[in-house]
Amino acid sequence: MLTRSRRWAGAVPDPLLGLLGAAAFAALLEVLPRTGAVSPDELPPFSAIVRALAAEAGSSGFWGALLDTLRGWGYGLAIAVAAGLSLGLLIGSVPVLREATASTIEFLRPIPSVALVPLAVLLYGTRLGSTLLLVVYAASWPVLVQAIHGVQDVDPVARETAAAYRFTRWGRLRYLVWPTALPYLLTGVRLAASVALVLAVAGELIIGSPGLGSAIGLAQASNAVAEMYALIFVTGALGVCVNLLTRALERRVLAWHASMRTEVPA
Amino acid sequence: MRTVLRGAGRLGYLLGLPAVLLTLWWVSTASSTDFYFPPLRTILSAFGETWFSARIVDDVLPSVARLAAGYLGAVALGVTIGVLLGSSRRVRLLAEPVLEFFRAVPPPVLIPVLMLFVGIGDTMKITVIVIGSMWPVLLNTAEGVRAIDEVLADTARSYGLTGAARLRRLVLPAASPQIVTGMRQALSISIILMVISEMFASSSGLGYTIVQFQRGFEIPEMWSGILLLGLLGFLLSLLFGRFEARALRWYRGWRQAQKGKS
């Protein structure tokens, strides 16, 4: 058994295992509808979805929807990071403010931002503002909380050393607070990016503002099932890209950080 | 006396800003004639009239019940699959790309799919919550199981700990900090999905009711619904904090001990 297991493990390199899994999943999606295990009206064959995807890629409507979603996501995320970062650094640096705001943040943070959907509709209808309201509210909290934690995490010895060398306020921020808080901030940005995408798509789906979300809802309502799955696939791919992007950002910006550097065996 | 003063100070910090903000909201909207931003006084009285009525039974409780069913289902499913994946390196590598993709799909887009399969009833809503919330639990559990300390694992093996006993005594406890992290994320997603699934396609529930108020331009009632959702989110967050403190008491203690050591 050990020999067989070892032989099997050696036969397929690790990177290929992932591809194998993905291929198996695609094959499953192709077979289930064709054998009638699942109705093709509910889940069309994988090849039909691929064809629908190719057709979508050739239409300007699709690219318009993609851009709309990216716009809502990008603007919302940028605003959320700017707001969360500013407030977070401020609150984190002033102990009294930190204590005074703790309960308010703790109360406001868990509120689901989709609760604001009706308000967004009244104020902005199907315009970009609706998406931004939802995205900014939801994505600000991870950044804010991480920024506060980051500032708090400054090493007391380092802080006192900076004081002993009479660092200016700016110097303290630049050389002491910022490097300490940066890992936390990037974690906040990564979380915020994921949340922003979810809320951008959710807002479009419910409110009907232009974007991938509303395109999916429309396809479903029109019984264009393969197109719906194709659009969902694109949305998932977008999510994967967001994850990869934020991780790459983290790796690049934190190249100097201890957690990123690996010891080379002597 | 000093203790009393310290307690009063803490309470002051705790309630000070919320009280200030609420007062500001009350005062600044007291004479409001803006249709969309009615006086807080009006919203609060609408809150009482709207929700302390048949609606609690007809809309609020069913929503919370669906949320609970979906969330618990997501946790159970996520932990189960996560343990299986985390226990075998090859299976994990095989499944990883597909899982990462599903994790990246924004959960709300599941709603149109599930409407095809199961219509718009309770089953759809609960299933949306289960499938959408499962991923953080699943992936965190798998990571927690994968990262079990090798010395611990070897010790368990040499003592003949296998099967169910190994799972209960070694695997789940060792992975529990990660599992709880996943559960916290899953809770946020569950609440969002509960609201969205009701707003998008439904004829009952909190999300549906709030949207109906908006469409009927019953603005104070709509605001009171938003407040109720906020309170719900806050209460669930508190409940989870209690659960987390209890479930991970040993972990906190261990971390404290380690911190004290260095």
Side-chain angles (χ1 to χ4, degrees):
Chain A
M1 176 53 79
L2 195 62
T3 303
R4 188 181 309 157
S5 174
R6 189 172 294 151
R7 186 179 302 131
W8 159 248
V12 184
D14 285 354
L16 280 189
L17 276 178
L19 282 181
L20 209 61
F25 182 72
L28 193 69
L29 283 186
E30 184 71 22
V31 168
L32 285 181
R34 292 196 182 279
T35 58
V38 181
S39 165
D41 290 336
E42 292 166 355
L43 177 64
F46 185 73
S47 54
I49 296 174
V50 171
R51 276 198 302 276
L53 189 56
E56 287 288 346
S59 76
S60 62
F62 164 78
W63 294 105
L66 181 60
L67 271 181
D68 286 325
T69 298
L70 285 176
R71 188 178 298 121
W73 172 80
Y75 287 173
L77 181 62
I79 295 170
V81 169
L85 182 54
S86 313
L87 273 178
L89 290 182
L90 175 66
I91 292 173
S93 300
V94 184
V96 171
L97 265 186
R98 192 190 315 148
E99 284 200 50
T101 58
S103 64
T104 302
I105 292 173
E106 210 51 42
F107 176 80
L108 291 176
R109 174 156 68 131
I111 294 177
S113 67
V114 285
L116 298 174
V117 162
L119 183 63
V121 170
L122 289 176
L123 295 181
Y124 303 110
T126 57
R127 296 192 304 278
L128 180 62
S130 282
T131 302
L132 289 185
L133 178 59
L134 301 183
V135 171
V136 171
Y137 185 87
S140 297
W141 299 111
V143 181
L144 177 67
V145 170
Q146 292 296 326
I148 293 175
H149 284 344
V151 176
Q152 268 181 273
D153 200 43
V154 170
D155 186 346
V157 174
R159 180 170 53 242
E160 281 158 19
T161 304
Y165 277 88
R166 300 200 187 284
F167 275 34
T168 63
R169 196 177 302 274
W170 168 253
R172 235 174 295 172
L173 180 65
R174 166 67 181 82
Y175 295 109
L176 180 65
V177 174
W178 182 255
T180 303
L182 198 53
Y184 288 87
L185 288 176
L186 288 171
T187 298
V189 170
R190 172 158 50 80
L191 294 173
S194 287
V195 170
L197 184 62
V198 171
L199 267 300
V201 173
E204 292 159 4
L205 197 59
I206 302 173
I207 297 173
S209 20
L212 289 173
S214 53
I216 290 168
L218 188 61
Q220 184 263 331
S222 310
N223 239 22
V225 179
E227 282 74 18
M228 181 188 75
Y229 278 102
L231 289 165
I232 288 173
F233 178 84
V234 170
T235 309
L238 191 57
V240 171
C241 289
V242 167
N243 286 343
L244 293 178
L245 190 67
T246 49
R247 284 182 198 172
L249 178 72
E250 219 163 13
R251 244 192 313 274
R252 175 175 293 272
V253 177
L254 290 181
W256 55 270
H257 197 263
S259 65
M260 290 290 174
R261 285 184 274 133
T262 46
E263 298 290 326
V264 183
Chain B
M1 192 50 164
R2 184 172 301 166
T3 302
V4 171
L5 283 180
R6 187 176 299 133
R10 187 163 299 151
L11 198 64
Y13 276 125
L14 198 67
L15 300 180
L17 184 55
V20 168
L21 291 177
L22 280 178
T23 303
L24 277 177
W25 187 359
W26 183 287
V27 170
S28 63
T29 61
S31 57
S32 168
T33 54
D34 186 331
F35 185 66
Y36 293 150
F37 294 94
L40 178 56
R41 183 184 62 254
T42 305
I43 294 172
L44 292 183
S45 67
F47 188 100
E49 291 162 12
T50 304
W51 300 108
F52 295 122
S53 65
R55 269 202 193 82
I56 267 198
V57 172
D58 293 339
D59 290 306
V60 178
L61 291 184
S63 285
V64 174
R66 283 192 291 265
L67 173 62
Y71 179 70
L72 293 177
V75 170
L77 203 54
V79 171
T80 303
I81 300 177
V83 167
L84 293 174
L85 285 178
S87 301
S88 168
R89 187 171 150 279
R90 271 181 282 106
V91 172
R92 183 169 55 84
L93 287 173
L94 205 63
E96 198 152 48
V98 174
L99 290 179
E100 285 294 333
F101 178 82
F102 276 116
R103 188 252 286 271
V105 174
V109 303
L110 291 171
I111 294 170
V113 175
L114 288 174
M115 282 172 68
L116 286 182
F117 279 97
V118 297
I120 65 170
D122 282 0
T123 304
M124 182 275 275
K125 299 189 192 69
I126 294 174
T127 308
V128 163
I129 296 172
V130 171
I131 296 182
S133 311
M134 175 179 73
W135 306 106
V137 180
L138 191 158
L139 291 168
N140 275 285
T141 302
E143 178 58 25
V145 172
R146 188 194 65 78
I148 289 175
D149 187 283
E150 280 189 20
V151 176
L152 270 178
D154 289 343
T155 304
R157 185 175 302 115
S158 69
Y159 274 90
L161 215 59
T162 57
R166 176 189 166 86
L167 183 69
R168 198 160 60 88
R169 298 293 188 183
L170 171 67
V171 174
L172 290 181
S176 58
Q178 294 272 56
I179 294 177
V180 172
T181 297
M183 287 173 68
R184 191 186 321 114
Q185 293 172 35
L187 182 60
S188 301
I189 297 173
S190 294
I191 297 172
I192 289 177
L193 289 177
M194 174 199 80
V195 178
I196 292 176
S197 61
E198 289 171 357
M199 285 181 170
F200 189 71
S202 190
S203 57
S204 70
L206 265 172
Y208 168 81
T209 304
I210 295 172
V211 166
Q212 286 305 110
F213 285 143
Q214 173 244 309
R215 289 179 180 156
F217 289 97
E218 298 168 81
I219 305 303
E221 287 78 9
M222 180 195 81
W223 273 104
S224 70
I226 292 176
L227 275 188
L228 180 56
L229 275 177
L231 285 174
L232 181 65
F234 179 60
L235 288 177
L236 289 174
S237 175
L238 282 187
L239 276 180
F240 188 85
R242 286 307 193 85
F243 161 79
E244 185 177 16
R246 173 177 293 275
L248 294 185
R249 190 170 41 209
W250 64 269
Y251 180 69
R252 297 278 173 78
W254 175 69
R255 294 267 295 191
Q256 291 289 352
Q258 280 215 324
K259 215 168 282 185
K261 189 182 300 178
S262 63

